[in-house]
Amino acid sequence: HSGWKFGWGRFSEVDLFTDRHESNAETLSQAIRAAASEEPDADGSVLFGQLKGTVVGLRYYSGVVNQGEMVGLVRQPQNPYDRNAVMVANIYGNQVGHIKKELAAAMAYIMDNNLAKVEGVVYSGTKNTYTMPVMLSFWGKEESKNSVLEHMSRRGYKLNTEGGKLKGTPCTILKNAFDNLFEGLMESKDGEKEAASVATPLLLHQKQALSWMCARENKAALPPFWEKRGELYYNTLTCFSAKELPERVRGGILADDMGLGKTLTVIALILTNFHKGKPLPVEKCVSRSVLQSFQAICFMSNLCSLITKCVFTCVQVEKVSPIKAKMTSQMALTLEEGSVLFEDLDFAAALSGSTSDTGSKKKKTDKKSSLTQSAESSIAESTDDLKARTTLIICPLSVLSNWLDQFEQHVDPNVKLNVYLYYGPERNRSKKFLSSQDVVITTYNVLSSDFGNKSPLHGISWLRVVLDEGHIIRNPNAQMSKAVLDLKAQRRWILSGTPIQNSVRDLWMLVAFLGLKPFDTREWWNRVIQRPVTQGDRAGLQHLQTLVKYITLRRTKNSEVNGRPLVSLPEKKVYVEQVELSQPEREEYELARTEGKNTIGRYVRTEGTVLRNYADVLAILMRLRQHCCHPDLLAKISSDLGAAATPAELRERLIEKLRLVLASGSDEECSVCLDSVRLPVITHCAHVYCRPCIAQVISTSGQEVARCPLCRSEIKTSELVEFPQEEMEEENSTKSERWRTSSKVQALMGNLLRLRSKDSSIKCLVVSQFTRFLTILETPLREHGFSFVRLDGTMTQKKRTQVIQEFQSSAADSPTIMLLSLKAGGVGLNLTAASHVFLMDPAWNPATEEQCIDRCHRLGQKRKVVVTKFIVKDSVEENMVKIQRKKQDLMEKAFGSTNTDRKTSRIDDIVALMEL
DNA sequence: ACCGCCGGGTGCC
DNA sequence: ACCGCCGGGTGCC
């Protein structure tokens, strides 16, 4: 009997984070994680009350707690002695004891049914070997409060509901503080480091980043909130203390603005910081013939006489190929130090944990293969730490080619770095092969599709994992995120130009990936950081700031080092070119404008109907904007806006509206998630949302009927209309009509021809929100013999990459013009070959235009950048520009506005546009 | 004494 | 646990 008990005891005693007992550790950590993840969010939870309880059985477990330390409570429904058991664990997941059974019996029901989340604090420390008191706090949804209180009191436990209220702080102040979270993270992070084997000289701020990253990987500084107290390490937030140095976070978030060269910095890091600050040992890259003669010598010769023979060979080679003189002398030098073909001394030294100096001395006397020896020493000291060689880079497909280019471009050509692209159906899944590479690059999609399917990537112990565009994995429930969290790595990096977009919640995934204990467990994150912050607790925000500061380096384009801007880009000039419409164009335009003005005016005068008819309003504006570009852009207009006679007709009209809204280039945002719409659907009241968003609104409305968040009309899931698939491809069908020109087309062509005659090497981006306009432009470009490519959202990734490569090429016959759809390709697109940008039509959102311009006005741009915006005189376009200016001002003044603010400002925009 | 009382053994869930 | 509880030993005062 007692043997069984002991076994069970040990079973629950495992350490959550060291995996000492692997299978058991998983069971317990899974239990804690599962318990923590079931709760939807700390947001919106209220404190029901508190209760003093007893933790018993302390003497059976090794987990210790300090006075004031937080403890976790985990249900153990499988406990053979009591199915109501509630386990108590400290922050490291070490079991401390159990909740006394009567209390556990009362709590079990509440915990199992998710009526409340129970948290414990040991307020009085351990005075007694057997039991200790614990303060339990019950948190949950307001609607569960009474049933929880009642349930507990029926069992004789009265929750103290006094004094638990948190003092609220004005939210606005905190909101601003949160916005500033990522500001000023450059302080005291100076120090520069030169990169090894990188052909491109690093800029000052990149050297600083490299130095910071190396320090983050090498130095054993205490993580935030830890301090040394005597012989122990003490966490000031959780009051947990430990004998061992808390595991440091080897890595962090590099959140520099895009264009500051994060990719280059990471490449430099890979080459510069292998083990113990030594560079990655890489094969010297020599011409094939040299390599072959070397190999021949190496195989044939007795290793003892190797050095002289190799040097001899080098001299011979030098005669044959004088250009390589520098390289061969470098090789001879290497050989004198006793290495064989590979510069493996550093590697061997790193493996054995000794420095490279002593390593090479040793090799001088002992001429046996250094490789064999290094293998032996690595086994002797088999801490897995030193075996890992490979850096795994995970990125979105869209920037994959960029990584490959950058490796090609920046790695010293005399050095052979093994970079493997783990992508495509033919990818090499051999773990042995992959872990012998220096760098493996893959995409989030490949990673998550491999995940759970005996993924080789998850079976390798990586030296380093780098998440590019790391904000992609902000949703912890996504398959991708789970796949990322399951990777084994010594060092972890997140690259992101936009670290927090929405809230504290997004940060958790990043913290969890970095393994910043104990916050990688959701429960502790919620308790210590997220809830305090969302409830307006200043200390909580302070803690969050400390935490973020510890792991993040962020500089913006406007940051300065020693009073100088980080990067000096070539000058950029923006011109507005007014376009006059021709007489017939003007007449058509005025006709449409009068009609539209009347319609919208009606909506504005009738209080509250603008939002209701939002899609119509956008459609009208859209038509006017199309008139400004080219008459053929106008879609076959489907009648006016009266009530539809049949359901089929209604559906047809809704689809038409949806099409117009989506095609309007207004970068429509979903009013539920405030992000760009994904999987767009339109309601019968003609408002566009993401399907999942609006479906959630409907299912959680709690009322008998769900209402549209924008206009309060009744909505039903069955009445949501999607964009039919066939419609998507129909776009190209209007092609066959006879081509005609327009004033704007003329204006563009004039510019292009003038530029070409001045300097035929200049490349241009021609940007429009209307892909059909781009199609129209193809005709005159072809006519005038321009070589051009086209990039829009409909193209496959493969095609995009190809087009970008073509355009970026400096070959004489490479295309000089790129037709670019405004929204095509995310940030990070590199089009520095172009130095002139023509914006054919103004965008609603000036930031979109800026982003587009930044694709060529960024690091790597050698020429002055000239931007020309075509604006039709006396038109809706002019008003749009005015609104843009106003928006820019507003943006700069107050950051972050509410949803209603945005919508009202949209209405104001519309009124201003139509000059009502 | 089919009790009370004493004192040793014992002890989470 | 410097407790409560259990069950055996014991038995007027």
Side-chain angles (χ1 to χ4, degrees):
Chain A
H1 173 75
S2 74
W4 220 97
K5 208 155 43 174
F6 180 58
W8 216 87
R10 198 174 50 183
F11 178 82
S12 0
E13 201 179 301
V14 285
D15 187 321
L16 244 184
F17 302 111
T18 57
D19 278 11
R20 250 179 292 161
H21 316 279
E22 243 183 288
S23 58
N24 294 344
E26 282 200 18
T27 316
L28 184 59
S29 85
Q30 274 166 6
I32 291 186
R33 294 234 162 100
S37 70
E38 256 175 50
E39 101 196 290
D41 251 325
D43 309 29
S45 287
V46 295
L47 180 62
F48 295 164
Q50 296 182 314
L51 179 70
K52 274 186 209 173
T54 313
V55 184
V56 296
L58 302 188
R59 64 164 150 158
Y60 300 98
Y61 308 103
S62 59
V64 287
V65 283
N66 294 308
Q67 181 164 3
E69 183 171 336
M70 301 178 181
V71 289
L73 301 166
V74 182
R75 277 280 290 119
Q76 281 184 330
Q78 301 302 327
N79 188 304
Y81 301 95
D82 182 359
R83 59 191 175 80
N84 290 325
V86 176
M87 186 199 84
V88 178
N90 70 16
I91 228 112
Y92 267 17
N94 297 331
Q95 181 161 8
V96 173
H98 280 104
I99 291 292
K100 206 169 155 48
K101 66 171 181 294
E102 295 80 5
L103 178 54
M107 283 165 60
Y109 173 82
I110 285 166
M111 293 174 79
D112 293 346
N113 291 293
N114 243 332
L115 295 173
K117 184 96 188 76
V118 191
E119 297 174 354
V121 173
V122 179
Y123 53 91
S124 66
T126 323
K127 291 204 186 78
N128 163 324
T129 347
Y130 307 98
T131 67
M132 65 182 173
V134 62
M135 183 58 86
L136 302 172
S137 310
F138 290 67
W139 296 83
K141 292 230 159 57
E142 185 63 51
E143 61 259 34
S144 315
K145 182 172 178 175
N146 285 335
S147 65
V148 168
L149 293 181
E150 198 187 316
H151 179 88
M152 293 303 289
S153 85
R154 258 208 306 273
R155 271 146 231 261
Y157 295 101
K158 191 136 174 56
L159 265 69
N160 175 15
T161 50
E162 299 295 300
K165 294 213 172 67
L166 289 159
K167 302 134 260 152
T169 324
C171 281
T172 44
I173 300 169
L174 291 170
K175 170 88 179 96
N176 291 340
F178 188 77
D179 286 341
N180 293 332
L181 203 54
F182 279 84
E183 298 309 318
L185 294 178
M186 199 37 223
E187 298 164 47
S188 71
K189 275 168 187 166
D190 34 30
E192 298 143 35
K193 193 172 171 84
E194 294 294 334
S197 308
V198 180
T200 315
L202 295 193
L203 298 173
L204 183 66
H205 74 275
Q206 292 165 342
K207 288 180 192 168
Q208 290 178 337
L210 179 61
S211 153
W212 177 74
M213 291 176 95
C214 289
R216 296 279 318 127
E217 291 194 345
N218 301 338
K219 273 196 198 148
L222 282 176
F225 315 120
W226 287 90
E227 53 189 54
K228 195 151 192 222
R229 290 195 179 173
E231 292 303 296
L232 294 176
Y233 298 93
Y234 181 76
N235 187 306
T236 53
L237 277 192
T238 61
C239 298
F240 179 76
S241 67
K243 272 199 205 78
E244 300 80 26
L245 191 69
E247 208 180 312
R248 65 208 158 104
V249 178
R250 303 181 71 188
I253 305 173
L254 181 58
D256 281 350
D257 256 1
M258 74 173 238
L260 295 185
K262 291 191 285 287
T263 308
L264 174 57
T265 310
V266 168
I267 292 174
L269 177 72
I270 290 169
L271 290 163
T272 309
N273 195 38
F274 181 48
H275 283 305
K276 315 224 173 216
K278 299 276 173 201
L280 182 72
V282 278
E283 207 178 317
K284 286 284 173 191
C285 185
V286 290
S287 74
R288 185 146 301 170
S289 63
V290 178
L291 191 69
Q292 277 166 357
S293 58
F294 251 116
Q295 279 169 338
I297 294 289
C298 291
F299 281 118
M300 290 186 310
S301 58
N302 175 338
L303 282 165
C304 290
S305 58
L306 178 72
I307 294 168
T308 43
K309 283 198 181 176
C310 281
V311 172
F312 174 64
T313 317
C314 290
V315 174
Q316 279 193 321
V317 171
E318 213 165 272
K319 276 182 194 158
V320 178
S321 164
I323 303 154
K324 303 266 181 210
K326 190 175 161 232
M327 197 205 302
T328 43
S329 67
Q330 233 174 20
M331 279 158 43
L333 203 83
T334 310
L335 286 159
E336 264 166 31
E337 283 172 11
S339 138
V340 189
L341 187 62
F342 300 99
E343 254 198 315
D344 244 322
L345 287 182
D346 277 346
F347 187 40
L351 286 173
S352 64
S354 63
T355 68
S356 103
D357 283 357
T358 57
S360 49
K361 266 174 209 143
K362 206 167 157 192
K363 298 297 163 340
K364 257 184 197 166
T365 49
D366 183 357
K367 299 231 168 63
K368 283 192 176 175
S369 159
S370 63
L371 288 172
T372 322
Q373 211 172 52
S374 67
E376 279 165 11
S377 53
S378 81
I379 292 161
E381 284 187 40
S382 68
T383 37
D384 59 352
D385 213 42
L386 297 172
K387 270 184 262 172
R389 177 185 180 90
T390 319
T391 296
L392 174 67
I393 296 170
I394 303 156
C395 63
L397 185 55
S398 59
V399 295
L400 204 143
S401 62
N402 185 46
W403 274 100
L404 296 174
D405 292 347
Q406 302 263 315
F407 271 110
E408 188 106 327
Q409 196 183 328
H410 297 306
V411 176
D412 185 333
N414 292 326
V415 141
K416 173 95 179 68
L417 186 74
N418 287 313
V419 178
Y420 183 70
L421 174 60
Y422 186 74
Y423 187 78
E426 301 296 303
R427 59 181 179 263
N428 188 338
R429 301 168 144 273
S430 152
K431 276 199 272 186
K432 201 176 160 202
F433 169 78
L434 291 171
S435 54
S436 71
Q437 300 297 304
D438 298 313
V439 178
V440 172
I441 305 181
T442 193
T443 68
Y444 288 102
N445 283 328
V446 169
L447 181 80
S448 66
S449 73
D450 267 20
F451 183 52
N453 186 18
K454 54 184 175 168
S455 158
L457 301 183
H458 290 89
I460 291 171
S461 183
W462 303 99
L463 174 71
R464 191 186 281 113
V465 171
V466 178
L467 305 184
D468 192 15
E469 305 293 334
H471 54 271
I472 285 187
I473 53 147
R474 65 180 177 187
N475 173 8
N477 297 322
Q479 232 13 57
M480 231 158 31
S481 308
K482 288 177 185 160
V484 158
L485 285 183
D486 212 53
L487 290 166
K488 286 191 276 293
Q490 295 168 27
R491 317 175 191 181
R492 293 152 179 271
W493 286 102
I494 294 164
L495 311 184
S496 174
T498 46
I500 309 188
Q501 276 168 332
N502 293 319
S503 70
V504 211
R505 237 190 305 175
D506 296 350
L507 258 178
W508 179 76
M509 217 9 245
L510 307 184
V511 169
F513 171 74
L514 294 178
L516 188 67
K517 276 143 204 171
F519 306 118
D520 54 341
T521 302
R522 189 88 210 200
E523 185 186 343
W524 299 114
W525 169 261
N526 285 347
R527 254 179 98 167
V528 183
I529 304 288
Q530 186 168 313
R531 189 174 54 221
V533 170
T534 46
Q535 295 197 344
D537 175 49
R538 271 172 189 288
L541 192 74
Q542 191 72 55
H543 296 146
L544 179 61
Q545 266 164 339
T546 309
L547 197 149
V548 166
K549 201 166 191 162
Y550 171 72
I551 52 175
T552 310
L553 178 63
R554 169 166 173 82
R555 282 84 52 88
T556 64
K557 269 188 197 154
N558 306 320
S559 301
E560 292 182 351
V561 206
N562 310 331
R564 287 186 171 184
L566 289 185
V567 279
S568 49
L569 287 175
E571 194 187 358
K572 173 182 86 180
K573 281 200 166 138
V574 182
Y575 299 100
V576 172
E577 186 170 327
Q578 281 202 336
V579 177
E580 294 250 21
L581 291 182
S582 67
Q583 195 53 40
E585 282 170 344
R586 172 58 65 186
E587 277 165 19
E588 275 187 69
Y589 179 86
E590 287 304 325
L591 213 64
R593 191 179 88 93
T594 317
E595 192 192 307
K597 198 171 166 174
N598 289 339
T599 311
I600 297 177
R602 244 189 340 264
Y603 294 144
V604 172
R605 277 192 303 277
T606 323
E607 187 79 23
T609 51
V610 178
L611 281 183
R612 233 173 260 262
N613 296 286
Y614 196 50
D616 291 331
V617 172
L618 282 180
I620 291 166
L621 291 173
M622 164 97 314
R623 256 172 260 145
L624 291 179
R625 290 163 58 202
Q626 289 171 330
H627 269 294
C628 290
C629 291
H630 197 279
D632 290 349
L633 288 178
L634 289 143
K636 301 146 277 176
I637 295 154
S638 66
S639 73
D640 56 329
L641 320 147
T646 66
E649 206 178 333
L650 176 65
R651 192 186 139 76
E652 197 45 52
R653 276 185 203 177
L654 286 171
I655 290 172
E656 178 70 12
K657 282 177 189 177
L658 182 58
R659 189 214 321 275
L660 279 162
V661 170
L662 293 178
S664 68
S666 60
D667 198 18
E668 187 62 10
E669 69 193 14
C670 164
S671 304
V672 179
C673 64
L674 299 180
D675 236 320
S676 296
V677 275
R678 286 180 316 109
L679 303 172
V681 288
I682 191 164
T683 60
H684 274 199
C685 50
H687 292 107
V688 178
Y689 300 98
C690 310
R691 176 172 272 283
C693 290
I694 196 67
Q696 203 197 356
V697 167
I698 294 174
S699 69
T700 59
S701 79
Q703 313 290 319
E704 274 159 55
V705 289
R707 296 196 176 276
C708 172
L710 280 173
C711 69
R712 313 307 297 158
S713 299
E714 207 175 298
I715 50 172
K716 293 181 185 141
T717 311
S718 60
E719 288 178 352
L720 298 176
V721 177
E722 263 170 20
F723 210 58
Q725 205 57 52
E726 329 80 75
E727 289 267 341
M728 297 281 201
E729 284 116 41
E730 211 187 273
E731 289 239 7
N732 304 332
S733 62
T734 47
K735 233 183 192 171
S736 55
E737 289 161 36
R738 199 163 39 91
W739 191 84
R740 49 177 167 163
T741 190
S742 76
S743 302
K744 227 180 223 182
V745 172
Q746 291 302 105
L748 171 72
M749 290 313 294
N751 274 279
L752 291 178
L753 291 168
R754 194 154 10 93
L755 263 179
R756 182 167 66 177
S757 64
K758 210 170 73 184
D759 180 351
S760 61
S761 72
I762 289 177
K763 296 200 179 196
C764 306
L765 299 178
V766 176
V767 185
S768 172
Q769 300 167 74
F770 309 106
T771 47
R772 283 197 358 261
F773 194 29
L774 297 178
T775 311
I776 289 170
L777 289 171
E778 287 178 15
T779 308
L781 287 178
R782 237 177 250 119
E783 229 164 61
H784 287 97
F786 283 103
S787 163
F788 64 90
V789 287
R790 174 178 171 140
L791 186 69
D792 64 49
T794 64
M795 298 164 81
T796 63
Q797 199 51 50
K798 203 176 164 182
K799 185 86 182 131
R800 280 182 206 215
T801 321
Q802 188 199 325
V803 158
I804 293 165
Q805 235 163 38
E806 255 181 88
F807 184 71
Q808 284 288 93
S809 155
S810 49
D813 58 345
S814 63
T816 56
I817 292 172
M818 174 181 277
L819 294 172
L820 179 64
S821 104
L822 185 70
K823 284 186 286 179
V827 284
L829 192 56
N830 189 353
L831 300 174
T832 44
S835 59
H836 281 240
V837 182
F838 294 97
L839 297 173
M840 300 308 295
D841 33 70
W844 274 99
N845 184 351
T848 323
E849 287 183 359
E850 281 306 311
Q851 230 172 57
C852 188
I853 295 168
D854 283 349
R855 282 166 200 170
C856 84
H857 191 240
R858 59 182 276 166
L859 228 61
Q861 178 56 262
K862 302 283 187 297
R863 303 182 190 236
K864 285 184 183 175
V865 170
V866 181
V867 181
T868 308
K869 298 184 178 183
F870 293 111
I871 303 295
V872 169
K873 208 175 162 225
D874 300 321
S875 77
V876 67
E877 288 191 345
E878 271 190 342
N879 292 332
M880 282 178 76
V881 172
K882 283 181 204 151
I883 288 170
Q884 279 190 358
R885 268 198 216 112
K886 204 177 71 190
K887 271 196 176 158
Q888 196 97 53
D889 291 349
L890 280 176
M891 278 300 212
E892 279 158 17
K893 271 183 208 139
F895 213 75
S897 54
T898 66
N899 189 14
T900 22
D901 282 351
R902 291 194 211 188
K903 282 290 162 193
T904 19
S905 88
R906 265 286 160 81
I907 297 175
D908 292 344
D909 289 354
I910 291 160
V911 171
L913 277 176
M914 298 306 290
E915 297 170 348
L916 285 162

